[in-house]
Amino acid sequence: RGTRDSMRQVRKSSSVGRAACALGTTVLLALPAAAQTGVPEVDSATVARGAYARAAAALRANDLTKARTEMTRAATAWPTQPAYVWGHAIVSARVSDTASVLAALTEYAALGLGRDIAEGAVAPFRDLPAFAAVRARLDNNRAPLVRSSVYAQLPDSTFWPEGMDYDARSKTFYVASVRHRTVAAVSPNGVVRELWPRSQPNMGAMLGIRVDTKRNALWATTSGLKQMNGYAPPDSSIAALLRIDVATGAITRRWDLPPITGGHVLGDLAVGPNGDVYVTDSSDPVLYRLRPGADTLERLTHPLFRSLQGMAPTPDGLTLYVADYSHGLIRVDLASRTVTRVADALHSSSLGCDGIAWYNGAIIAVQNGVAPARVVRFVLDPSGRRIVRYEVLDQNIPLAGEPTIGTVVGDHFVYVANSQWDEYDDDGRRLPNTTLTAPRLLGVALGKSLP
């Protein structure tokens, strides 16, 4: 899926932008010097976003000539941004340019993505003989690849899961609820216990959660969102990191962020091997770090930070990988605080990744910002600065239509399969003709990466 509903776009603030490759000089010249950040990927992405926005406006005005020019510019500038490649196919179809439609769909399929071209502007081209190969490839890319099985299930279909983690000592899964502002503990025998009563005052939607076994604590993030039950306007100021006692479920410490215009969305967190806690803000793109024993959250900002999501610390504690919905995978050198973008493998896209985890020299990612949503392994080179190949691990569309966050459990990756962002509108109202299903955690074997 290439786009999210509006709330998901607040959390993943700009799903139409990602710096996937270095762009040509002629494209960069389109950005005024005063607007350049000095980070080539960011400046290139800005140029492409501008062209895409102008193309969309021209389409609304039925100015197909300008729309085609601008969409071509966006897709050429950013050839691994799926939204722009698909948009190029749509505009080319509107002007009946068969060769350009075929080229755009071929590029889209080469990214490993798939959409049904039987509907919309490209539908008239579907059955042309020249499109047989690309149609087959798109259909194959969007077909389910079911390698996972159900690890746990919660009985309440209204729970609305988001983040999760696993405590290997007690074999307990912890699942955060957007809707009910609480955290559920799922025991090995399937018994579900909520750590505190639902919809408590001064508690926001629960988003990220991680187990810290060394300190016998749970860390969780909470933010005031309209999708949570009982939301009132003052709740928009809620944004906090919580430390929770594993045994009792009591909140033992709370770090509240000062309110800002537009609000914070503390979407995910990670615990490093030395006890550092990392938190991402998806709305105000800041990476926070809480060192053991510290009272203050340290802030790190960078032009590459646009819509921050999950994180994966390396086992040596020297590097933190961060998923940015708009800019792909980002590498943070924790000692120098140097921020760089991880280069994509040929014909791949790390756009739209949500929860991520480290596993044997690779990043395991829930990639829910592409069509279709999937779980992917991005294998890194020895330097950790480049993706050398990717592998789709799971594409369980029947059970995992909207996956979010996961964790490594032994040699499996277990993840939230069916969050409910698409079943509610911006104001937290249930959309018509939607069906809620019981929250599920799916697990897929990791094994060895493909050669």
Side-chain angles (χ1 to χ4, degrees), residues 32-328:
Q36 294 185 21
T37 66
V39 180
E41 299 96 336
V42 176
D43 294 338
S44 300
T46 300
V47 170
R49 289 189 189 104
Y52 185 82
R54 291 189 295 272
L59 273 178
R60 289 191 295 271
N62 203 33
D63 184 348
L64 297 183
T65 300
K66 183 175 181 179
R68 185 185 189 187
T69 299
E70 296 293 350
M71 192 65 78
T72 301
R73 179 176 288 119
T76 302
W78 209 341
T80 54
Q81 162 50 274
Y84 301 166
V85 178
W86 187 260
H88 190 212
I90 296 299
V91 175
S92 297
R94 292 279 299 272
V95 297
S96 301
D97 185 343
T98 302
S100 292
V101 175
L102 180 59
L105 293 180
T106 300
E107 290 177 14
Y108 192 87
L111 294 174
L113 306 177
R115 288 190 179 188
D116 187 357
I117 61 172
E119 300 178 354
V122 297
F125 301 84
R126 184 182 189 277
D127 294 323
L128 296 179
F131 284 74
V134 72
R135 181 179 71 242
R137 190 169 182 184
L138 289 167
D139 289 345
N140 181 68
N141 288 349
R142 68 188 181 90
L145 181 64
V146 179
R147 293 174 172 164
S148 58
S149 58
V150 177
Y151 263 50
Q153 184 165 303
L154 284 70
D156 184 357
S157 64
T158 69
F159 188 78
W160 193 333
E162 175 68 3
M164 62 80 64
D165 205 5
Y166 180 72
D167 190 337
R169 301 168 302 174
S170 61
K171 296 180 172 57
T172 300
F173 286 103
Y174 292 93
V175 186
S177 174
V178 172
R179 192 68 172 171
H180 297 308
R181 315 196 212 182
T182 190
V183 173
V186 185
S187 68
N189 61 5
V191 174
V192 178
R193 171 180 61 92
E194 295 182 3
L195 300 190
W196 56 79
R198 297 178 173 187
S199 304
Q200 289 203 60
N202 203 33
M203 191 67 69
M206 301 304 300
L207 298 171
I209 187 162
R210 292 298 172 189
V211 177
D212 185 352
T213 56
K214 293 181 180 178
R215 293 150 197 85
N216 202 38
L218 299 175
W219 295 93
T221 57
T222 185
S223 296
L225 305 180
K226 292 182 179 180
Q227 282 75 7
M228 66 193 199
N229 197 38
Y231 173 86
D235 292 332
S236 64
S237 65
I238 298 173
L241 170 66
L242 309 177
R243 186 179 65 204
I244 305 163
D245 183 79
V246 171
T248 66
I251 298 172
T252 59
R253 184 72 190 270
R254 178 173 178 139
W255 287 262
D256 288 284
L257 296 184
I260 60 171
T261 301
H264 299 279
V265 181
L266 305 183
D268 205 354
L269 68 132
V271 180
N274 64 346
D276 286 351
V277 179
Y278 303 96
V279 179
T280 52
D281 190 335
S282 305
S283 179
D284 179 37
V286 176
L287 172 64
Y288 293 95
R289 180 180 189 175
L290 179 68
R291 299 178 189 265
D295 291 323
T296 304
L297 296 174
E298 302 173 16
R299 290 169 47 96
L300 177 62
T301 61
H302 193 272
L304 277 169
F305 295 172
R306 183 176 173 88
S307 181
L308 300 175
Q309 309 304 320
M311 291 154 290
T314 54
D316 59 12
L318 299 178
T319 304
L320 181 72
Y321 288 93
V322 184
D324 188 284
Y325 219 63
S326 297
H327 286 156

